[in-house]
């Protein structure tokens, strides 16, 4: 039942109980001509009907249509007019499963697909709804409450200037420890969030959390030039996104110049006219713009001139082989040279080895980020890092550079 929880919450459990009884009665009435079915309720708002000897999917759908119609008719419960709709999943033996467990699981999966499409929909299981679809739906179900359950956190990865060894900024990276599913990789759940629209509330949470954290560190006397926040293409395509950014900056008190928005190259290429305008508005607020995963999105160099951007982040895939593949090295060198003519700064992503860092220094890449220089850290450990940097900020340039390569060399 699609809206049982809401009815229970607003009208009380007493009425919720009566509602469940009425729905059960309606289900029985809808199948009145048969005496051989099993009807059961399990879980708060779920019913299962087992109907033997169905001739095929046409007859099954026919049953289900009657059920949906019967349940969806308005009902009066102690003076309240109540409307409930069912989302139905259908599984038929043997096509949808050869044993009870599988049939049951697949009916459940089909039901999830129905729920996603809207209230009162029924869906017949088919094999395309495979386990990856189930995983995706489980992620979506759990992600729905991640913000309100306080399951999201940020970790922060440092970006260092390769010329003077100073901290250039931090990138905020999202982490989700779900109560149900434990750690879910960010790439996996961000995609689900984008497809389901949950990215809007999650993205807003990320932006607010990163800004207020940066402000707190500035207030504590830390040297923090930049807090970079990843923003998905869907957020960027929202007309009101710049207003949201302005509101969050005002609310948290973070100076706009400290905030940098990272957008992947593919996201910008996908909706260029719109994003051009949103990017321009963001820059008018004073926020910096970086293109993330640069080199993977096939943007032409000439188009790059049209975008109001401050920084390019060279994708990790080019950096990881730059020191031993001449092709990748050539790409990295070309990106750095092009950025220089356009007066855009460059951050190399995913620097893991000293050889990679030395190559980047030789090519005068502005800054670098990667496991060699610093892992993404939770807030408490980031504060320790910021503190160490603050205390050693008057050390010499060569000491700072040495510290990048050999963190243990300079305590
Ligand atoms: P990204 O923005 O390109 O972030 C860099 C990713 O590379 C991070 O993965 C980081 O942990 C990883 N990384 C950094 N240095 C190294 C290295 O030396 N070697 C290797 N192998 N990996 C390194 P993470 O945190 O798993 O994030 C993956 C992607 O998920 C991010 O890529 C970003 O596109 C997305 N993402 C993360 N947080 C957010 C968020 O708050 N909002 C949105 N929309 N997307 C996010
Ligand atoms: Mg990023
Ligand atoms: Mg990236």
């Amino acid at each position: 039942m699609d809206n049982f929880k809401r009815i229970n919450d607003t009208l009380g459990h007493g009425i919720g109980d009566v509602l469940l009884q009425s729905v059960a009665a309606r289900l029985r009435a809808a199948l009145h001509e048969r005496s051989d079915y099993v009807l059961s309720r399990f879980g708060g708002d779920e019913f299962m009907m087992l109907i033997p000897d169905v001739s095929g999917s046409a007859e099954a759908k026919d049953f289900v249509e009657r059920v949906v119609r019967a349940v969806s008719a308005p009902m009066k419960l102690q003076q309240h007019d109540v409307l409930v709709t069912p989302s139905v999943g259908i599984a038929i033996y043997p096509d949808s499963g050869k044993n009870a467990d599988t049939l049951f699981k697949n009916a459940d999966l089909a039901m999830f697909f129905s729920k996603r499409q809207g209230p009162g929909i029924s869906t017949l299981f088919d094999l395309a709804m495979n386990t990856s679809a189930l995983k995706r739906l489980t992620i979506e179900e759990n992600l729905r409450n991640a913000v309100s359950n306080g399951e999201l956190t940020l970790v922060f990865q440092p970006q260092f200037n390769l010329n003077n060894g100073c901290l250039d900024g931090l990138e905020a990276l999202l982490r989700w420890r779900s109560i149900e599913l434990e750690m879910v990789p960010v790439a996996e759940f961000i995609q689900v969030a984008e497809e389901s629209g949950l990215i809007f509330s999650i993205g807003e949470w990320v932006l607010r959390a990163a800004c207020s954290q940066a402000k707190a560190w500035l207030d504590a006397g830390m040297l923090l030039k930049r807090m970079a926040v990843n923003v998905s293409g869907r957020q960027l395509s929202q007309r009101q996104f710049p207003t949201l950014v302005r509101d969050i900056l005002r609310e948290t008190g973070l100076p706009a110049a400290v905030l940098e928005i990272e957008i992947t190259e593919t996201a910008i290429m996908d909706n260029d006219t719109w994003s051009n305008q949103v990017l321009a508005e963001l820059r008018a607020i004073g926020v910096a713009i970086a293109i993330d995963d640069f080199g993977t999105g096939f943007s032409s160099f000439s188009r790059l001139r049209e975008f109001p951007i401050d920084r390019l982040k060279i994708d990790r895939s080019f950096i990881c082989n730059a020191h031993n593949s001449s092709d990748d090295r050539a790409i990295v060198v070309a990106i750095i040279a092009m950025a220089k003519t356009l007066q855009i700064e460059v951050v190399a992503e995913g620097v893991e080895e000293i050889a990679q860092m030395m190559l980047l220094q030789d090519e005068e890449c502005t800054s670098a980020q990667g496991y060699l220089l610093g892992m993404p850290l939770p807030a408490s450990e980031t504060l320790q890092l910021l503190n160490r940097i603050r205390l050693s900020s008057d050390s010499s340039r060569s000491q700072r550079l040495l510290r990048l390569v050999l963190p243990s060399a300079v305590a």
Side-chain angles (χ1 to χ4, degrees), residues 154-155 157 171-175 185-187 190 194 199 202-203 206 229-233 235 262 264 292-293 313 315-316 349-352 369-372 374 376:
L154 293 178
V155 291
Q157 189 176 29
E171 177 178 6
L173 294 161
L174 185 58
R175 294 293 177 265
V186 58
I190 284 289
E194 287 184 347
I199 192 68
I202 292 174
V206 169
V229 177
N230 294 284
V231 167
S232 99
Q235 288 173 275
E262 288 192 10
T264 60
D292 206 346
D293 304 344
K313 298 187 72 180
D315 192 66
R316 189 169 66 84
E349 290 190 297
V351 178
E352 293 182 353
Q369 174 180 352
Y371 296 165
L372 173 74

Side-chain angles (χ1 to χ4, degrees), residues 214-223 383 387 390:
K215 170 70 169 144
W217 283 331
L218 288 175
D219 287 350
M222 303 300 142
L223 305 168
L383 178 61
N387 243 321
R390 186 173 59 101

Side-chain angles (χ1 to χ4, degrees), residues 246-407:
R246 196 183 297 121
D247 289 349
I248 288 178
L249 287 171
R250 195 173 300 147
E251 187 188 306
T252 57
L254 185 73
V258 180
L259 180 63
E260 177 160 283
I261 301 280
E262 288 192 10
I263 307 141
T264 60
E265 188 185 16
T266 16
I268 290 196
M269 293 301 137
D270 281 352
N271 53 353
D272 48 340
T273 40
W274 204 224
S275 53
N276 255 358
Q277 192 178 336
V278 169
L279 293 184
E281 281 176 43
L282 287 171
R283 280 193 104 202
I285 297 172
V287 171
I289 309 288
I291 300 194
D292 206 346
D293 304 344
F294 187 78
T296 57
F298 305 107
S299 50
S300 73
F301 285 178
S302 66
R303 293 257 331 262
L304 211 57
R305 256 190 333 198
E306 300 162 17
F307 288 114
I309 56 157
D310 301 272
R311 216 174 317 281
L312 289 181
K313 298 187 72 180
I314 307 179
D315 192 66
R316 189 169 66 84
S317 57
F318 303 110
I319 304 299
C320 65
N321 289 318
H323 59 304
N324 50 28
S325 143
S326 56
D327 284 356
D328 285 349
R329 184 186 175 122
I331 290 172
V332 170
V333 170
I335 293 175
I336 296 172
M338 174 207 58
K340 205 175 279 168
T341 34
L342 296 175
Q343 289 172 316
I344 297 169
E345 296 196 346
V346 180
V347 181
E349 290 190 297
V351 178
E352 293 182 353
E353 290 177 35
I354 291 181
Q356 295 161 355
M357 194 184 85
M358 282 165 52
L359 180 151
L360 292 163
Q361 277 176 319
D362 286 348
E363 299 301 334
E364 294 176 33
C365 176
T366 327
S367 40
Q369 174 180 352
Y371 296 165
L372 173 74
L373 308 168
M375 302 290 291
L377 298 172
S380 57
E381 288 168 52
T382 307
L383 178 61
Q384 291 171 15
L385 173 76
L386 288 170
N387 243 321
R388 279 200 304 276
I389 287 169
R390 186 173 59 101
L391 297 174
S392 65
S393 64
D394 50 359
S395 57
S396 70
R397 173 179 175 275
S398 55
Q399 261 178 314
R400 285 194 301 265
L401 285 169
L402 182 64
R403 196 183 56 224
L404 284 187
V405 198
L406 289 171

